[in-house]
Amino acid sequence: MNRPAEVTLLKLGGSLLTEKTAVDAVRPAVLARLAAEIAESAGAAWTPAAPAAAGPGASGQRRAALVVGHGSGSFGHVAARRHDLAAGLRGTAQLPGVSLTQERAAALHWQVCAALAAAGLHPFSLAPSSSVVAAGGRPLTFAVEPLLLALARGLLPVLYGDVVMDREQGVAICSTERLFELLARELPAHGTRVRRVLWLGETDGVYDADGRTVDRLAAGDLARRGELRGAIGAAAGTDVTGGMLHRVETALALAAHGIPSLIANGTAPGLLAAALRGEPVPGTVIEAAG
């Protein structure tokens, strides 16, 4: 199998794709535009890799591959909150909520995949509920071989926030942030590293206490992290994973392991396309250690 040497991870936030203050409310125009921008700027990024003997300039040689993840927005978050699943299972009365949360998260996911396909891409769905195991609320393992095989065959892997089995508390809510952490940890063992992460929401990056965009954060900047914790506040709408604060803390943790991030505004037309092309765009850069 010709494994990609590098992957870029892209998260489309649930607050970007849906109305998080409503229930099951997708933003179809936003979703279609984002899919078109991915197709425009990264369509060649997951073509099958050229044989190593072909050399650096060979036609068809793989650039950094792309993996798309998305939040659950007003679909899965609402179901998980309604059945109080954030802390796991405490009784059989919650079992219908597990099934509903899985179904609602998947319902949004298939709309995302449909939009990507309509834009001319070839999405390949990866359901965390079937590939991730957690313990104590923290996802531990991710079966990455299907993802790597999909990339090698020219498909676009698409994963999402989901409910997963938990060895200790029955079930856990697995955010896209946690999935990206797992990929960053497990892919290198298969010869693939995460080059960078793009986080798209509906804000112009991370805001400070005065409402201004923070241009840069550095890995291990614990003092600034404490300042931002107070400035970011609670997530808008229904959210059971932590919203922007969860994203920032994940990006800082990835940066400490050498993986840079960009947090930017996906509501700005053309921004995603430019970011995928590697062009500078407004937002908050989280610089990698070293």
Side-chain angles (χ1 to χ4, degrees), residues 1 32 112 213 215 270:
M1 178 178 66
V112 173
T213 300
D215 292 331

Side-chain angles (χ1 to χ4, degrees), residues 12-137:
L12 305 176
S15 63
L16 175 62
L17 300 180
T18 72
E19 298 285 353
K20 287 191 75 174
T21 56
V23 178
D24 294 352
V26 73
R27 292 170 165 168
V30 172
L31 178 52
R33 176 180 57 77
L34 293 168
E37 291 190 32
I38 294 172
E40 169 196 341
S41 301
W46 45 88
T47 52
S59 175
Q61 186 176 23
R62 181 183 293 279
R63 304 195 311 243
L66 182 67
V67 174
V68 174
H70 65 85
S72 201
S74 60
F75 285 71
H77 282 283
V78 171
R81 173 66 61 81
R82 183 180 300 157
H83 293 272
D84 195 21
L85 295 181
L89 286 177
R90 292 172 303 285
T92 57
Q94 291 174 286
L95 293 180
V98 176
S99 300
L100 179 63
T101 301
Q102 184 186 42
E103 187 275 330
R104 287 291 81 201
L108 174 60
H109 175 65
W110 288 118
Q111 292 190 58
V112 173
C113 288
L116 292 167
L121 301 168
H122 308 297
F124 184 77
S125 169
L126 294 164
S129 54
S130 301
S131 57
V132 173
V133 173

Side-chain angles (χ1 to χ4, degrees), residues 42-234:
W46 45 88
T47 52
S59 175
Q61 186 176 23
R62 181 183 293 279
R63 304 195 311 243
L66 182 67
V67 174
V68 174
H70 65 85
S72 201
S74 60
F75 285 71
H77 282 283
V78 171
R81 173 66 61 81
R82 183 180 300 157
H83 293 272
D84 195 21
L85 295 181
L89 286 177
R90 292 172 303 285
T92 57
Q94 291 174 286
L95 293 180
V98 176
S99 300
L100 179 63
T101 301
Q102 184 186 42
E103 187 275 330
R104 287 291 81 201
L108 174 60
H109 175 65
W110 288 118
Q111 292 190 58
V112 173
C113 288
L116 292 167
L121 301 168
H122 308 297
F124 184 77
S125 169
L126 294 164
S129 54
S130 301
S131 57
V132 173
V133 173
R138 185 101 183 176
L140 295 179
T141 63
F142 188 170
V144 298
E145 187 176 8
L147 183 151
L148 290 167
L149 288 169
L151 286 171
R153 284 149 177 74
L155 294 163
L156 172 61
V158 186
L159 43 83
Y160 57 102
D162 201 356
V163 59
V164 302
M165 292 294 102
D166 190 294
R167 294 169 181 167
E168 299 173 7
Q169 63 180 44
V171 300
I173 302 301
C174 180
S175 65
T176 312
E177 283 79 2
R178 293 285 184 247
L179 293 173
F180 283 5
E181 284 185 302
L182 281 172
L183 287 177
R185 188 175 73 218
E186 297 192 12
L187 286 177
H190 298 268
T192 300
R193 75 178 187 95
V194 176
R195 186 178 74 177
R196 60 174 178 155
V197 184
L198 304 177
W199 310 91
L200 291 196
E202 55 177 356
T203 67
D204 296 324
V206 181
Y207 297 151
D208 64 16
D210 296 319
R212 295 173 299 200
T213 300
V214 177
D215 292 331
R216 292 185 180 274
L217 291 171
D221 191 351
L222 298 179
R224 196 66 188 276
R225 189 190 316 199
E227 170 194 332
L228 293 169
R229 181 184 292 274
I232 291 170

Side-chain angles (χ1 to χ4, degrees), residues 263-280:
I263 299 176
N265 193 338
T267 68
L271 183 144
L272 172 56
L276 287 171
R277 291 193 298 265
E279 299 171 8

